[in-house]
């Protein structure tokens, strides 16, 4: 026997209101759709539930007998849904995420806001630290999971790739290269180049990729943080190489970004987890929500 919940709710609503017209309005259904649901329920039960005239709707003997049973089924289902929602709101705990800074505040806020609305009693700690430190935090169990661009080749971790993040050139809007769609690495020679420090995994990734081509960065300024690079670019002191997700949105900045090719250098950003033990249930909820949001259409600015 296949009885849908909305069929039962339709029956109860018509019985309570004594009108197909008002029941359809309350249920946000068209009258033909409501009639089809009642007819399908009657066919499933093998009996008529209503006596219909042009002015009146009344329950049959079978309908009067079935009404309390249908009402109880609908109420029990709705009570169960409310109980589950309340359980989610009463669930407490702590989730710690180790995320590289360039990613943490570009993609996490939307998910954190949605998660906090669903689970207001669960606290979230975000460790916005470098790639190596973040991987170590996951390995030591200090973080439930990480968002990182290293760890994919480490057998100690599960790595779920999320997006490919190319390195781009950041220029002030009045710089001669700002109007270009793409530049080659060798075209940066002679420019006042701003780079991230050699202790950064981003820097090592770039140096390794260029070294394979017999190339190297000829820089003028070296900083420790990506925010410092952007500050120097805005001040007109030079141009910078940085991950595309770290670039400010074009509509909100005097900084323009340009693709760098020959070679194109990129990093793969993904979720890093330990094999064992698995993430806690509350961390698993945040992780699932993060994957949903990341896979949805988005603008990277």
């Amino acid at each position: 026997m296949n009885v849908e919940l909305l069929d039962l709710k339709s029956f109860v609503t018509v019985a309570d209101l004594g009108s197909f017209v008002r029941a359809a309005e309350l249920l946000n259904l068209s009258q033909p759709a409501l009639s089809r649901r009642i007819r399908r329920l009657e066919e499933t039960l093998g009996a008529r539930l209503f006596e219909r005239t042009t002015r009146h709707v009344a329950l049959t003997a079978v309908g009067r007998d079935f009404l309390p049973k249908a009402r109880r089924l609908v109420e029990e289902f709705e009570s169960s849904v409310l109980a589950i929602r309340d359980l989610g709101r009463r669930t407490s705990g702590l989730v710690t995420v180790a995320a590289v800074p360039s990613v943490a505040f570009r993609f996490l806020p939307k998910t954190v806001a949605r998660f906090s609305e669903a689970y207001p009693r669960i606290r979230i700690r975000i460790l916005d630290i470098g790639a190596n430190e973040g991987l170590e935090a996951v390995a030591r169990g200090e973080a439930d999971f990480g968002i990182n661009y290293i760890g994919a080749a480490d057998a100690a971790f599960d790595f779920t790739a999320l997006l490919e993040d190319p390195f781009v050139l950041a220029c002030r809007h009045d710089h001669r290269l700002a109007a270009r769609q793409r530049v080659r690495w060798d075209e940066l020679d002679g420019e006042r180049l701003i780079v991230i420090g050699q202790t950064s995994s981003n820097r090592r990734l770039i140096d390794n990729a260029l070294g394979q081509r017999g190339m190297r960065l000829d820089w003028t300024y070296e900083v420790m943080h990506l925010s410092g690079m952007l500050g120097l670019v805005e001040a007109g002191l030079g141009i910078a190489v940085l991950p595309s997700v770290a670039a400010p949105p074009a509509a909100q900045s005097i900084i323009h970004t340009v693709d760098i090719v020959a070679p194109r250098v990129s990093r793969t950003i993904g979720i890093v987890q330990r094999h064992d033990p698995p993430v806690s249930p509350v961390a698993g909820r945040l992780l699932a929500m993060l994957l949903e949001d990341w896979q949805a259409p988005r603008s990277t600015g």
Side-chain angles (χ1 to χ4, degrees):
M1 182 177 292
N2 183 20
V3 177
E4 294 186 10
L5 177 68
L6 189 51
D7 295 346
L8 294 174
K9 194 168 185 177
S10 298
F11 165 66
V12 172
T13 305
V14 173
D16 287 345
L17 298 179
S19 168
F20 273 76
V21 174
R22 286 185 291 161
E25 292 176 352
L26 183 63
L27 294 169
N28 197 27
L29 292 172
S30 67
Q31 289 185 49
L34 177 60
S35 296
R36 285 195 298 271
R37 287 197 170 276
I38 296 299
R39 187 164 56 249
R40 181 167 56 197
L41 181 59
E42 289 176 329
E43 290 172 354
T44 301
L45 297 174
R48 294 184 65 185
L49 299 173
F50 292 106
E51 294 288 351
R52 305 171 180 82
T53 66
T54 55
R55 297 185 178 181
H56 186 65
V57 176
L59 287 166
T60 64
V62 173
R64 287 192 299 270
D65 180 68
F66 184 59
L67 179 59
K69 300 179 179 66
R71 193 189 306 279
R72 185 171 63 252
L73 288 170
V74 171
E75 290 175 349
E76 286 178 354
F77 178 82
E78 292 178 342
S79 296
S80 297
V81 171
L82 290 174
I84 291 171
R85 281 184 186 167
D86 187 54
L87 177 62
R89 293 189 173 274
R90 288 186 288 106
T91 299
S92 61
L94 171 68
V95 181
T96 301
V97 183
V100 290
S102 57
V103 175
F105 299 110
R106 191 67 180 274
F107 295 110
L108 274 180
K110 174 185 175 182
T111 302
V112 169
R114 194 157 70 93
F115 184 84
S116 296
E117 183 178 355
Y119 307 103
R121 292 175 59 83
I122 296 178
R123 296 174 297 159
I124 300 175
R125 176 186 292 131
I126 299 173
L127 305 177
D128 49 322
I129 52 182
N132 289 317
E133 294 89 345
L135 200 64
E136 290 173 4
V138 174
R140 292 194 298 264
E142 296 171 3
D144 293 284
F145 62 89
I147 306 175
N148 213 318
Y149 54 88
I150 63 173
D154 194 324
F157 300 99
D158 288 326
F159 187 89
T160 304
L162 297 175
L163 95 106
E164 202 65 24
D165 182 28
F167 286 88
V168 297
L169 185 68
C171 313
R172 235 174 73 135
H173 66 90
D174 53 359
H175 191 275
R176 69 178 186 86
L177 295 176
R180 296 274 297 274
Q181 290 188 333
R182 62 185 63 85
V183 298
R184 301 188 311 273
W185 287 95
D186 58 17
E187 292 182 275
L188 304 184
D189 291 345
E191 295 286 343
R192 289 180 298 171
L193 192 62
I194 306 162
V195 298
I196 199 72
Q198 292 184 352
T199 58
S200 166
S201 297
N202 282 320
R203 175 66 178 278
R204 289 196 292 273
L205 195 157
I206 294 171
D207 286 347
N208 289 340
L210 295 183
Q212 293 175 9
R213 298 283 191 98
M215 305 165 65
R216 67 181 182 84
L217 291 175
D218 184 13
W219 54 269
T220 303
Y221 304 106
E222 186 178 80
V223 299
M224 296 304 296
H225 301 288
L226 293 172
S227 58
M229 299 176 74
L230 293 173
L232 294 179
V233 173
E234 286 188 356
L237 293 177
I239 58 177
V241 175
L242 74 169
S244 62
V245 298
Q252 304 173 16
S253 174
I254 64 172
I255 295 178
H256 290 195
T257 58
V258 182
D259 289 341
I260 311 177
V261 296
R264 183 179 292 274
V265 183
S266 68
R267 59 185 192 170
T268 302
I269 295 173
I271 299 293
V272 181
Q273 299 174 254
R274 297 183 305 278
H275 290 311
D276 188 62
V279 296
S280 67
V282 291
R285 293 172 195 168
L286 177 61
L287 180 55
M289 200 172 286
L290 175 64
L291 290 170
E292 286 176 12
D293 287 343
W294 213 307
Q295 291 163 1
R298 64 185 181 277
S299 172
T300 58

